[in-house]
Amino acid sequence: MIGRLFGNLSQKVPSLLYRVSLVMKPQVVFVLGGPGAGKGTQCSKIVESYGYTHLSAGDLLREERAREESEFGQLIANYIKEGKIVPVEITINLLRKAMEATMKKNENKFRFLIDGFPRNEDNLQGWNSVMDGKADVKFVLFFDCSNEVCINRCLERGKSSGRTDDNRESLEKRIQTYLQSTRPIIDLYEKQGKVHTIDASRSVDEVFADVKAILDKEG
Ligand code: ADP
Ligand code: AMP
């Protein structure tokens, strides 16, 4: 089923994204860091001051999980609870649709913060095969902080978030997934000179001051 989806997807993407990219090719900033590093918090602040649209892979997957007609709802629920990375065919399809819908509504909205993606080799390969030449990855914002800070922030968030994965058991797994699967992707971009590393253990405003300096410089 997933194979079929991916097949259909690669046929559709050239036509749809090609059409919107005639207007302006999507400019993408990947936003990475451990669970609770503050990616979502900083993305919201960036959106307030810069012309970016924030797309969170986690949020899109949670929305899809909640959609009644979704054929992937249960699968996504299981992966999220286990802190595992959902198959790329699902995630990239959600991202692509969200990008297209944004640009269709307003052709000037071609700058995207893609938060929580690419999270592993599979994500990266999926992106390269589906989006290569159709979107430009400008750079990566890497919010860096210790596992302990990440866990404490998520446990605090868990008091009100209602998230099924903001508990100690899921968090241990999410941290392992982050260290084993996502860090190597950040290292890979680092070797290409594309990573801006930000010390995310400081206050929200201190972190944002660094973010602003980077965005102002990158243009
Ligand atoms: P992520 O998107 O990386 O999972 P969030 O932005 O949701 O992380 O932040 C996780 C939790 O930590 C939230 O409850 C948020 O309010 C809090 N938080 C985010 N940034 C900071 C910070 N710099 N200092 C303290 N708490 C923070
Ligand atoms: P987040 O909201 O970024 O903390 O992500 C919550 C969960 O959603 C993760 O632990 C994964 O199960 C899933 N998820 C988020 N981003 C991705 C992605 N890029 N690929 C696959 N699964 C993802």
Side-chain angles (χ1 to χ4, degrees):
M1 184 205 317
I2 286 171
R4 179 160 41 86
L5 180 79
F6 207 25
N8 290 344
L9 180 62
S10 32
Q11 281 162 15
K12 272 185 209 147
V13 165
S15 58
L16 290 170
L17 267 187
Y18 179 68
R19 243 181 288 143
V20 279
S21 68
L22 283 178
V23 182
M24 192 67 206
K25 203 190 256 189
Q27 306 288 296
V28 170
V29 174
F30 287 141
V31 181
L32 295 173
K39 302 181 292 295
T41 304
Q42 294 298 325
C43 285
S44 300
K45 291 182 76 70
I46 295 171
V47 167
E48 281 170 22
S49 313
Y50 298 84
Y52 281 92
T53 299
H54 174 209
L55 298 179
S56 153
D59 286 349
L60 290 170
L61 287 164
R62 283 185 285 274
E63 270 168 37
E64 181 64 15
R65 178 184 61 185
R67 202 168 59 84
E68 270 181 21
E69 318 84 76
S70 173
E71 53 183 316
F72 303 118
Q74 192 53 50
L75 181 149
I76 294 172
N78 295 341
Y79 272 77
I80 287 184
K81 184 109 193 296
E82 288 301 310
K84 291 197 304 198
I85 293 170
V86 174
V88 67
E89 295 81 357
I90 298 174
T91 316
I92 211 158
N93 195 26
L94 295 172
L95 284 170
R96 175 189 62 82
K97 280 204 277 194
M99 286 167 76
E100 281 175 6
T102 306
M103 291 180 69
K104 210 169 152 194
K105 236 191 271 167
N106 180 348
E107 64 188 38
N108 294 320
K109 299 291 284 176
F110 57 87
R111 290 165 187 264
F112 295 93
L113 294 167
I114 300 195
D115 157 9
F117 186 96
R119 258 184 152 100
N120 66 358
E121 187 61 42
D122 189 39
N123 274 191
L124 187 60
Q125 278 181 12
W127 176 270
N128 288 340
S129 66
V130 174
M131 303 298 281
D132 194 35
K134 299 175 192 78
D136 288 336
V137 178
K138 307 302 287 177
F139 55 91
V140 176
L141 284 179
F142 169 36
F143 292 101
D144 188 21
C145 62
S146 68
N147 298 343
E148 196 191 352
V149 169
C150 284
I151 290 174
N152 288 337
R153 284 185 187 168
C154 288
L155 289 177
E156 196 55 38
R157 179 175 66 187
K159 291 178 186 167
S160 58
S161 68
R163 282 179 54 157
T164 54
D165 59 351
D166 277 346
N167 56 73
R168 199 167 278 282
E169 198 189 335
S170 294
L171 276 162
E172 300 287 347
K173 295 175 185 164
R174 290 164 70 195
I175 293 281
Q176 282 315 311
T177 302
Y178 165 66
L179 295 175
Q180 283 164 14
S181 305
T182 312
R183 280 308 301 251
I185 302 300
I186 298 169
D187 293 344
L188 222 130
Y189 277 114
E190 181 86 62
K191 287 194 188 109
Q192 297 172 20
K194 281 197 161 182
V195 177
H196 290 287
T197 302
I198 298 160
D199 173 5
S201 63
R202 298 164 300 157
S203 73
V204 171
D205 288 344
E206 284 172 313
V207 174
F208 189 57
D210 280 10
V211 170
K212 274 178 78 165
I214 292 163
L215 293 179
D216 290 343
K217 197 165 146 225
E218 288 281 352

